[in-house]
Amino acid sequence: MRILHVIDSAGLYGAEIMLLNLMKEQQQMNINSLLLSIEDINGNSEGSLKEDAVKRGLNAERLTLSRGYSLANGLKIIRFAVENRIDIIHSHGYKANILIGSLPKLLRKTPVISTIHGWTSTKMFSRIWLYTLLDKICLRRMDAIVNVNSLSPRIGGSAERFVIENGIDELKFNSEYVLQSDTKIQDFCKDGFVIGALSRLSNEKGLICLIEAIRLLSDSIKNIKTIIIGEGTQREFLQDNILKYGLSDKVLLAGYRNNAYNYLPLFNIFVLPSLTEGLPITILEAMQAGVPIVASSVGGIPDVLGKGEYGITVEPANPKALAEAILYVHLNPDLAKEMGKKARQAVLKKYSSRRMAEDYLKVYESVLKKWK
């Protein structure tokens, strides 16, 4: 069986990490999988996914396309799949979904499934809002759709529907190397109660809520420090608010880091204040690290956190509730430590990459059977 994974990547974030984990397991299961990283003619801002895949011993190629969502771009992907004798195209993300899903099935020549990793929350009639709308329309034309949690909204159309929760490998954390090699973060974390976030700097991640919560907590937790590791379009907006609230000595936008999970053991609390999510990989990573977690009650997060047994969930876009949850963890370190211990045991048992890969194999077999 030959699988082509198609993704438009801007860095190594949740969907990309999930995909690399899946491909690694497929390789061990003797499933021939190939990564196709698509980018526009000017190149990606990060552009590291293909290289990272190759470093892991995975098969990967890059396909350069013209700007926009043209029929010719979609046909380039199909042509690549035909030339490489692909049995199933597995799409990840709205750009790949639109390029492939807008083509008539007669032109596709190959069955297509898509994993919905989550949608960006944005203003109506904006460019991203339009892309999201087109994505949902094109998803209805797929042969199968995979949601990463059971609460994802239903998409119409004739596509088969599956739920497969994300999985990750057991991680080996190297926080000592991080401290030695990253003096910027080392100096900032020194003698502080560190709140950490690993996140793309975009609206749907709700990071402004975290900054506002830190403002509320600045008098209650004297040595509070917050590190946000990631990059994105909201950097300037978030930095302006950090300056406005006088939090420059308390909040650091550290930028993008490869293998950012290595920073998790440096945190006293991991916070994910998202407005919308599927099943975030960073939650699974934080659970493995045994770090106390405070996260928004959106998407699959409440289920992953055992309805409060493995972490604290709060209402999204509520800085006061987020601040109260962080303060509770700060004031109850023993309880938080026990919660982190249980979280690690739970994630290793239930959210493995092998289980995820075996579930995807069943989807592939079901789709191929109906296609033939």
Side-chain angles (χ1 to χ4, degrees):
M1 185 183 297
R2 297 176 64 84
I3 310 299
L4 179 65
H5 294 282
V6 185
I7 187 169
D8 173 39
S9 173
L12 205 61
Y13 293 102
E16 290 84 359
I17 293 169
M18 168 269 174
L19 175 51
L20 294 176
N21 287 335
L22 175 59
M23 290 184 65
K24 179 183 174 182
E25 292 295 338
Q26 289 176 338
Q27 185 182 66
Q28 294 175 357
M29 295 165 64
N30 294 319
I31 298 173
N32 194 334
S33 60
L34 172 62
L35 169 67
L36 184 64
S37 179
I38 57 176
E39 60 180 56
D40 64 45
I41 199 125
N42 293 320
N44 272 337
S45 57
E46 299 289 347
S48 62
L49 183 59
K50 175 185 178 288
E51 288 77 10
D52 199 276
V54 171
K55 287 177 183 177
R56 298 179 188 219
L58 303 172
N59 296 321
E61 297 290 343
R62 184 183 288 117
L63 181 65
T64 302
L65 302 176
S66 60
R67 283 188 174 274
Y69 293 89
S70 67
L71 183 67
N73 282 339
L75 288 173
K76 275 189 178 182
I77 298 173
I78 298 301
R79 192 177 304 118
F80 182 92
V82 171
E83 290 171 353
N84 286 273
R85 305 188 311 279
I86 296 301
D87 296 306
I88 289 182
I89 298 174
H90 189 163
S91 175
H92 304 262
Y94 70 85
K95 187 168 185 177
N97 291 341
I98 296 171
L99 288 174
I100 302 168
S102 59
L103 297 174
K105 284 192 176 183
L106 185 64
L107 292 178
R108 287 190 217 161
K109 303 180 184 299
T110 307
V112 183
I113 78 166
S114 176
T115 296
I116 302 176
H117 295 276
W119 279 302
T120 301
S121 175
T122 188
K123 294 179 181 179
M124 287 187 67
F125 306 115
S126 67
R127 185 181 63 171
I128 299 299
W129 177 86
L130 177 61
Y131 289 162
T132 302
L133 180 61
L134 290 173
D135 185 13
K136 292 178 180 179
I137 293 171
C138 290
L139 281 167
R140 301 171 69 171
R141 300 161 59 85
M142 299 293 181
D143 296 284
I145 297 171
V146 177
N147 290 312
V148 296
N149 69 76
S150 59
L151 299 178
S152 297
R154 181 175 175 81
I155 303 294
S158 59
E160 282 191 273
R161 285 162 182 80
F162 302 87
V163 175
I164 300 178
E165 294 176 315
N166 288 336
I168 60 174
D169 292 337
E170 184 171 357
L171 301 172
K172 295 180 180 178
F173 299 96
N174 195 347
S175 56
E176 288 188 10
Y177 169 78
V178 166
L179 285 175
Q180 292 170 6
S181 63
D182 202 330
T183 55
K184 180 181 180 181
I185 287 182
Q186 181 184 26
D187 293 342
F188 186 81
C189 289
K190 196 174 182 181
D191 302 323
F193 181 80
V194 182
I195 298 164
L198 310 180
S199 175
R200 186 183 293 107
L201 308 186
S202 53
N203 180 63
E204 77 275 9
K205 296 301 181 181
L207 294 168
I208 185 61
C209 182
L210 173 57
I211 291 170
E212 291 172 352
I214 300 306
R215 178 173 65 91
L216 296 175
L217 289 167
S218 57
D219 292 331
S220 303
I221 305 177
K222 298 297 182 183
N223 60 341
I224 193 170
K225 298 288 182 70
T226 301
I227 297 177
I228 301 173
I229 298 176
E231 199 51 81
T233 56
Q234 274 207 325
R235 168 174 278 279
E236 185 177 347
F237 168 74
L238 296 172
Q239 191 63 58
D240 287 346
N241 279 275
I242 291 168
L243 292 173
K244 181 176 74 173
Y245 295 138
L247 298 175
S248 296
D249 60 333
K250 300 183 186 300
V251 182
L252 173 65
L253 300 182
Y256 180 82
R257 297 290 193 282
N258 282 322
N259 299 319
Y261 65 83
N262 281 308
Y263 291 83
L264 285 164
L266 305 179
F267 303 160
N268 295 104
I269 302 178
F270 172 79
V271 175
L272 185 64
S274 299
L275 306 178
T276 177
E277 283 288 356
L279 197 164
I281 291 292
T282 52
I283 283 281
L284 304 183
E285 292 174 338
M287 290 172 73
Q288 278 206 30
V291 182
I293 297 169
V294 176
S296 300
S297 55
V298 296
I301 292 175
D303 286 338
V304 173
L305 293 181
K307 306 297 185 183
E309 186 176 359
Y310 312 132
I312 299 174
T313 58
V314 298
E315 181 185 17
N318 189 332
K320 183 180 178 182
L322 183 60
E324 289 173 350
I326 292 171
L327 183 60
Y328 179 82
V329 172
H330 176 65
L331 296 175
N332 296 274
D334 292 338
L335 181 62
K337 185 177 180 180
E338 182 62 23
M339 194 176 288
K341 182 179 177 180
K342 289 181 179 179
R344 175 171 169 80
Q345 293 170 346
V347 73
L348 291 175
K349 182 178 180 180
K350 186 176 180 182
Y351 295 98
S352 71
S353 296
R354 176 50 62 101
R355 183 273 311 157
M356 174 178 65
E358 290 172 347
D359 288 347
Y360 272 106
L361 177 57
K362 294 174 184 175
V363 174
Y364 299 153
E365 290 173 341
S366 174
V367 169
L368 279 176
K369 184 178 179 180
K370 288 196 173 184
W371 180 273
K372 290 178 180 178

